[in-house]
Amino acid sequence: ACAALELILQRARQGVLLREGIRLVLAGQPNVGKSSLLNALAGAELAIVTPIPGTTRDTVRGTIQIEGIPIHVSDTAGLRETGDEVERHGVARTWLAIADADVVLFMHDLTRIAEPTYAENDSLLAAQIIDKLGRRALVLHVHNKVDALDHAPDVAGTLISAATGQGLEQLRRDILAGIGAQPSSEGVYIARTRHLLALRRAHEHLELARMQLAARAPVQELLA
């Protein structure tokens, strides 16, 4: 029964993804390429891109599809301390978007990793995001501007160039793998989130019954 229910759960999870999609947030320090990545993934100029840090002052949203799964992408203001009142409101909205995300792509600028202040802020922000989300959401590390380097650095995460498109297919695969999406949608159940929660509760009760029976063997009982 547990194995059968697990199969139903897998198909229901895929159904929820196909129906509702996921909320994906692009986060990081200013000028790391978040807006460029949004445009590259969307295949359209949704966000303004300039070399000036702090260009994005508010959250910019767009919806894309990866293997048929809707991905609701939010490009956010760069995370930094600032005296600019408008930008400060943008940073506050970034943290709200992160708190509501299913997936956060934390972006790093490969051309600045040797700068001590930048690297220190990057580590601090990444830790804050992980601490804020806990295990509720997925955080993927994305290292941008690989096209500007002579050789690929040894870093943990996905290497990309939002400007040239290098690594974007791998990033799409990493996103799907991270959310547990299946390559084929055949046999899925177009479920709602409440259906998925009910299936999880049923699965937990079956597992509990199995453990109780195993602990009290060879006594035969009926657990409802």
Side-chain angles (χ1 to χ4, degrees), residues 86-101:
V86 176
E87 189 178 355
R88 194 158 56 239
H89 281 293
V91 171
R93 291 188 179 188
T94 295
W95 284 111
L96 289 174
I98 289 171
D100 197 41

Side-chain angles (χ1 to χ4, degrees), residues 209 212-223:
Q212 288 177 340
L213 283 173
R216 302 182 65 176
V219 178
Q220 299 297 314
E221 296 185 25
L222 175 64
L223 296 176

Side-chain angles (χ1 to χ4, degrees), residues 13-33:
R13 287 192 202 102
Q14 183 78 355
V16 169
L17 289 174
L18 289 171
R19 181 186 179 89
E20 301 178 5
I22 65 166
R23 293 161 298 185
L24 184 147
V25 171
L26 306 177
Q29 295 189 65
N31 211 29
V32 295

Side-chain angles (χ1 to χ4, degrees), residues 25-29 76 79 94-95 98-99 101 103-107 122-141:
V25 171
L26 306 177
Q29 295 189 65
T76 61
L79 295 168
T94 295
W95 284 111
I98 289 171
V103 178
V104 174
L105 299 189
F106 186 76
M107 295 188 64
D122 238 24
S123 298
L124 178 61
L125 288 170
Q128 287 175 337
I129 289 172
I130 292 170
D131 183 62
K132 190 177 190 67
L133 293 174
R135 300 178 64 180
R136 188 193 63 74
L138 173 71
V139 178
L140 296 177
H141 291 269

